[in-house]
Amino acid sequence: MSPSHPPFRVLFSRDTILRRVHELARAIQDDLQAAGATTPPCLVSVIEGARPFARLLQQVLPGQLPVYEVRASSYGRGTVSSGQVAVSGAERIPVQGQHVLLLEDIVDTGRTIAALRARFLGDGARSCRVATLLSKPSRRVVEVPLDYTGFEIPDEFVLGFGMDLDGRYRELPDVVIYDPEVERSFRGAAAATGGA
Ligand code: IMP
């Protein structure tokens, strides 16, 4: 059977991601215990990209905490950030007096997380921490504190495990590096054989 997607280079396999998310969950729990937290954090996932990461964390953290979702988009189309962050759905999340833990797939320029932290703190959250699966420190434009980071990566555009390019490749189980050349030759080969 021919593969259904281009053979992009795998940066982190699903197994590696699972292991790291377990470590992050342990660190989150340790910090909560050390702080003597009496209430669980209010988990807020930045959709759509962070959904798989948030789902995993939810499964691994005790108590099946609810995960609220907020939509934020700084990418219009393609791989270049527009610089503008549009937020929707934040008004439905009861953050007042809560310790918010923002769950993000990848922090790039930092604009999205900066905008969301400002929003939730402005809405009365007691604190707003950030857990991100991936971070590209070399791309930062706005300095944001990242409390829990799965992996730091170089300046590459990545896909899979929730992350997409104009809606494509989100469902890939691994995190892969996008390569337009690999995509072009895959499509060319598929077209020649009458495939996708
Ligand atoms: P920031 O506001 O520049 O930090 O961008 C964060 C958002 O941009 C993420 O939530 C992703 O949706 C998107 N993004 C940034 N880098 C990548 C990438 O390499 N692949 C897929 N999406 C990305």
Short mmCIF file of all heavy atoms in Angstrom, two decimals, residues 12-26 52-61 133-134 150-151 161 173-175:
data_model
loop_
_atom_site.label_atom_id
_atom_site.label_comp_id
_atom_site.label_asym_id
_atom_site.label_seq_id
_atom_site.Cartn_x
_atom_site.Cartn_y
_atom_site.Cartn_z
N PHE A 12 10.00 14.05 16.30
CA PHE A 12 9.66 13.36 17.55
C PHE A 12 8.58 12.33 17.26
O PHE A 12 7.51 12.69 16.75
CB PHE A 12 9.15 14.34 18.62
CG PHE A 12 10.13 15.42 18.95
CD1 PHE A 12 9.87 16.74 18.61
CD2 PHE A 12 11.32 15.13 19.60
CE1 PHE A 12 10.79 17.74 18.89
CE2 PHE A 12 12.24 16.12 19.89
CZ PHE A 12 11.97 17.43 19.53
N SER A 13 8.87 11.08 17.58
CA SER A 13 7.86 10.04 17.37
C SER A 13 6.79 10.16 18.45
O SER A 13 7.00 10.78 19.49
CB SER A 13 8.51 8.66 17.46
OG SER A 13 8.87 8.41 18.81
N ARG A 14 5.67 9.54 18.17
CA ARG A 14 4.58 9.58 19.15
C ARG A 14 5.02 9.02 20.51
O ARG A 14 4.67 9.55 21.55
CB ARG A 14 3.38 8.80 18.61
CG ARG A 14 2.16 8.98 19.47
CD ARG A 14 0.93 8.35 18.91
NE ARG A 14 -0.06 8.23 19.97
CZ ARG A 14 -0.86 9.21 20.37
NH1 ARG A 14 -0.80 10.38 19.78
NH2 ARG A 14 -1.72 9.04 21.35
N ASP A 15 5.83 7.96 20.49
CA ASP A 15 6.30 7.37 21.74
C ASP A 15 7.15 8.36 22.54
O ASP A 15 7.03 8.47 23.76
CB ASP A 15 7.15 6.12 21.47
CG ASP A 15 6.26 4.92 21.19
OD1 ASP A 15 5.03 5.05 21.38
OD2 ASP A 15 6.79 3.88 20.78
N THR A 16 8.01 9.07 21.83
CA THR A 16 8.87 10.07 22.49
C THR A 16 8.00 11.16 23.09
O THR A 16 8.23 11.63 24.22
CB THR A 16 9.85 10.68 21.46
OG1 THR A 16 10.58 9.62 20.88
CG2 THR A 16 10.78 11.68 22.09
N ILE A 17 6.97 11.57 22.35
CA ILE A 17 6.06 12.61 22.84
C ILE A 17 5.33 12.11 24.10
O ILE A 17 5.25 12.83 25.10
CB ILE A 17 5.04 13.01 21.75
CG1 ILE A 17 5.77 13.62 20.54
CG2 ILE A 17 4.00 13.97 22.30
CD1 ILE A 17 4.89 13.78 19.31
N LEU A 18 4.85 10.87 24.05
CA LEU A 18 4.13 10.32 25.21
C LEU A 18 5.00 10.34 26.46
O LEU A 18 4.56 10.75 27.53
CB LEU A 18 3.69 8.87 24.95
CG LEU A 18 2.62 8.63 23.89
CD1 LEU A 18 2.23 7.16 23.86
CD2 LEU A 18 1.41 9.48 24.16
N ARG A 19 6.25 9.90 26.29
CA ARG A 19 7.16 9.87 27.44
C ARG A 19 7.36 11.27 28.02
O ARG A 19 7.32 11.48 29.23
CB ARG A 19 8.51 9.28 27.03
CG ARG A 19 8.58 7.76 27.17
CD ARG A 19 10.02 7.29 27.15
NE ARG A 19 10.70 7.60 25.90
CZ ARG A 19 10.61 6.85 24.80
NH1 ARG A 19 9.89 5.75 24.80
NH2 ARG A 19 11.26 7.19 23.71
N ARG A 20 7.56 12.23 27.12
CA ARG A 20 7.84 13.60 27.57
C ARG A 20 6.61 14.21 28.25
O ARG A 20 6.74 14.94 29.24
CB ARG A 20 8.29 14.44 26.37
CG ARG A 20 8.74 15.83 26.71
CD ARG A 20 10.00 15.84 27.56
NE ARG A 20 10.32 17.19 27.98
CZ ARG A 20 10.59 17.54 29.23
NH1 ARG A 20 10.62 16.64 30.20
NH2 ARG A 20 10.85 18.78 29.54
N VAL A 21 5.43 13.91 27.73
CA VAL A 21 4.21 14.47 28.33
C VAL A 21 4.02 13.91 29.74
O VAL A 21 3.60 14.63 30.65
CB VAL A 21 2.98 14.23 27.43
CG1 VAL A 21 1.69 14.61 28.15
CG2 VAL A 21 3.10 15.03 26.14
N HIS A 22 4.38 12.64 29.94
CA HIS A 22 4.33 12.08 31.30
C HIS A 22 5.26 12.86 32.23
O HIS A 22 4.91 13.14 33.37
CB HIS A 22 4.72 10.60 31.30
CG HIS A 22 3.56 9.69 31.06
ND1 HIS A 22 3.10 9.39 29.79
CD2 HIS A 22 2.74 9.04 31.91
CE1 HIS A 22 2.05 8.59 29.89
NE2 HIS A 22 1.81 8.35 31.15
N GLU A 23 6.45 13.18 31.75
CA GLU A 23 7.40 13.95 32.58
C GLU A 23 6.83 15.34 32.90
O GLU A 23 6.95 15.82 34.03
CB GLU A 23 8.74 14.09 31.86
CG GLU A 23 9.52 12.79 31.77
CD GLU A 23 10.76 12.90 30.88
OE1 GLU A 23 11.02 13.98 30.32
OE2 GLU A 23 11.45 11.88 30.74
N LEU A 24 6.23 15.97 31.90
CA LEU A 24 5.66 17.30 32.14
C LEU A 24 4.55 17.22 33.18
O LEU A 24 4.45 18.08 34.06
CB LEU A 24 5.10 17.91 30.84
CG LEU A 24 6.10 18.24 29.73
CD1 LEU A 24 5.38 18.93 28.57
CD2 LEU A 24 7.21 19.15 30.24
N ALA A 25 3.72 16.19 33.07
CA ALA A 25 2.60 16.04 34.01
C ALA A 25 3.14 15.87 35.44
O ALA A 25 2.60 16.44 36.39
CB ALA A 25 1.74 14.84 33.62
N ARG A 26 4.23 15.12 35.55
CA ARG A 26 4.82 14.93 36.87
C ARG A 26 5.34 16.26 37.43
O ARG A 26 5.14 16.58 38.59
CB ARG A 26 5.96 13.90 36.80
CG ARG A 26 6.17 13.18 38.12
CD ARG A 26 7.03 11.94 37.96
NE ARG A 26 6.57 11.08 36.90
CZ ARG A 26 7.32 10.61 35.90
NH1 ARG A 26 8.59 10.94 35.82
NH2 ARG A 26 6.82 9.82 34.98
N PRO A 52 -4.36 17.47 20.80
CA PRO A 52 -3.77 16.17 21.18
C PRO A 52 -2.90 16.27 22.43
O PRO A 52 -2.93 15.39 23.28
CB PRO A 52 -2.93 15.78 19.95
CG PRO A 52 -3.51 16.55 18.82
CD PRO A 52 -4.00 17.84 19.42
N PHE A 53 -2.14 17.33 22.54
CA PHE A 53 -1.28 17.55 23.72
C PHE A 53 -2.15 17.70 24.96
O PHE A 53 -1.90 17.08 26.01
CB PHE A 53 -0.44 18.81 23.47
CG PHE A 53 0.41 19.25 24.63
CD1 PHE A 53 1.27 18.36 25.27
CD2 PHE A 53 0.38 20.58 25.06
CE1 PHE A 53 2.07 18.79 26.34
CE2 PHE A 53 1.18 21.00 26.12
CZ PHE A 53 2.02 20.11 26.76
N ALA A 54 -3.22 18.50 24.86
CA ALA A 54 -4.11 18.72 26.00
C ALA A 54 -4.81 17.44 26.41
O ALA A 54 -4.95 17.14 27.60
CB ALA A 54 -5.13 19.80 25.65
N ARG A 55 -5.24 16.66 25.41
CA ARG A 55 -5.94 15.41 25.71
C ARG A 55 -5.02 14.45 26.48
O ARG A 55 -5.42 13.83 27.46
CB ARG A 55 -6.42 14.75 24.41
CG ARG A 55 -7.59 13.82 24.61
CD ARG A 55 -8.16 13.36 23.28
NE ARG A 55 -8.63 14.46 22.46
CZ ARG A 55 -8.35 14.61 21.16
NH1 ARG A 55 -7.58 13.75 20.54
NH2 ARG A 55 -8.85 15.62 20.48
N LEU A 56 -3.78 14.39 26.03
CA LEU A 56 -2.81 13.51 26.70
C LEU A 56 -2.56 13.96 28.13
O LEU A 56 -2.59 13.15 29.07
CB LEU A 56 -1.49 13.57 25.94
CG LEU A 56 -1.02 12.34 25.21
CD1 LEU A 56 0.36 12.59 24.64
CD2 LEU A 56 -1.01 11.15 26.15
N LEU A 57 -2.33 15.25 28.30
CA LEU A 57 -2.07 15.77 29.66
C LEU A 57 -3.26 15.51 30.56
O LEU A 57 -3.12 15.12 31.72
CB LEU A 57 -1.80 17.27 29.59
CG LEU A 57 -0.36 17.73 29.62
CD1 LEU A 57 -0.30 19.25 29.61
CD2 LEU A 57 0.40 17.20 30.83
N GLN A 58 -4.45 15.70 30.00
CA GLN A 58 -5.67 15.47 30.78
C GLN A 58 -5.74 14.02 31.25
O GLN A 58 -6.12 13.74 32.38
CB GLN A 58 -6.89 15.79 29.91
CG GLN A 58 -8.21 15.67 30.64
CD GLN A 58 -9.39 15.75 29.70
OE1 GLN A 58 -9.32 15.26 28.57
NE2 GLN A 58 -10.45 16.38 30.14
N GLN A 59 -5.33 13.10 30.37
CA GLN A 59 -5.37 11.68 30.74
C GLN A 59 -4.34 11.35 31.81
O GLN A 59 -4.56 10.47 32.65
CB GLN A 59 -5.09 10.82 29.50
CG GLN A 59 -6.27 10.72 28.55
CD GLN A 59 -5.86 10.17 27.19
OE1 GLN A 59 -4.72 9.80 26.99
NE2 GLN A 59 -6.79 10.14 26.26
N VAL A 60 -3.21 12.04 31.77
CA VAL A 60 -2.11 11.67 32.66
C VAL A 60 -2.22 12.37 34.02
O VAL A 60 -1.85 11.81 35.05
CB VAL A 60 -0.77 12.02 31.96
CG1 VAL A 60 0.39 11.78 32.89
CG2 VAL A 60 -0.60 11.18 30.70
N LEU A 61 -2.76 13.59 34.03
CA LEU A 61 -2.93 14.31 35.30
C LEU A 61 -4.08 13.66 36.08
O LEU A 61 -5.03 13.18 35.48
CB LEU A 61 -3.26 15.79 35.05
CG LEU A 61 -2.11 16.67 34.58
CD1 LEU A 61 -2.64 18.04 34.14
CD2 LEU A 61 -1.07 16.85 35.69
N LEU A 133 4.11 22.02 24.19
CA LEU A 133 4.81 20.82 23.74
C LEU A 133 6.14 21.21 23.10
O LEU A 133 7.17 20.60 23.38
CB LEU A 133 3.94 20.05 22.72
CG LEU A 133 4.58 18.78 22.16
CD1 LEU A 133 4.82 17.75 23.25
CD2 LEU A 133 3.73 18.19 21.05
N LEU A 134 6.11 22.25 22.26
CA LEU A 134 7.32 22.66 21.55
C LEU A 134 7.56 24.16 21.69
O LEU A 134 6.62 24.93 21.88
CB LEU A 134 7.19 22.34 20.05
CG LEU A 134 6.90 20.90 19.65
CD1 LEU A 134 6.72 20.82 18.14
CD2 LEU A 134 8.02 19.98 20.08
N GLY A 150 7.99 20.92 26.44
CA GLY A 150 8.31 19.54 26.05
C GLY A 150 9.66 19.46 25.39
O GLY A 150 10.58 18.79 25.88
N PHE A 151 9.81 20.20 24.29
CA PHE A 151 11.07 20.17 23.53
C PHE A 151 11.32 21.55 22.94
O PHE A 151 10.40 22.18 22.42
CB PHE A 151 11.00 19.18 22.36
CG PHE A 151 10.64 17.79 22.75
CD1 PHE A 151 9.33 17.34 22.64
CD2 PHE A 151 11.60 16.90 23.23
CE1 PHE A 151 8.98 16.05 22.99
CE2 PHE A 151 11.26 15.60 23.59
CZ PHE A 151 9.95 15.17 23.47
N PHE A 161 0.81 15.71 15.07
CA PHE A 161 0.40 15.75 16.47
C PHE A 161 -0.37 17.04 16.76
O PHE A 161 -0.13 17.72 17.73
CB PHE A 161 1.61 15.61 17.40
CG PHE A 161 1.22 15.10 18.77
CD1 PHE A 161 0.89 13.76 18.96
CD2 PHE A 161 1.13 15.95 19.85
CE1 PHE A 161 0.49 13.29 20.21
CE2 PHE A 161 0.73 15.50 21.10
CZ PHE A 161 0.41 14.16 21.28
N PRO A 173 0.65 11.15 13.45
CA PRO A 173 0.90 10.81 14.86
C PRO A 173 2.21 11.37 15.40
O PRO A 173 2.33 11.63 16.60
CB PRO A 173 0.93 9.28 14.86
CG PRO A 173 1.23 8.88 13.45
CD PRO A 173 0.69 9.97 12.57
N ASP A 174 3.19 11.54 14.51
CA ASP A 174 4.50 12.04 14.93
C ASP A 174 4.62 13.53 14.61
O ASP A 174 3.87 14.06 13.79
CB ASP A 174 5.62 11.32 14.17
CG ASP A 174 5.49 9.80 14.25
OD1 ASP A 174 5.24 9.29 15.36
OD2 ASP A 174 5.63 9.14 13.20
N VAL A 175 5.60 14.19 15.23
CA VAL A 175 5.94 15.56 14.81
C VAL A 175 7.00 15.44 13.72
O VAL A 175 8.05 14.81 13.93
CB VAL A 175 6.47 16.40 16.00
CG1 VAL A 175 7.03 17.73 15.50
CG2 VAL A 175 5.37 16.64 17.02
#
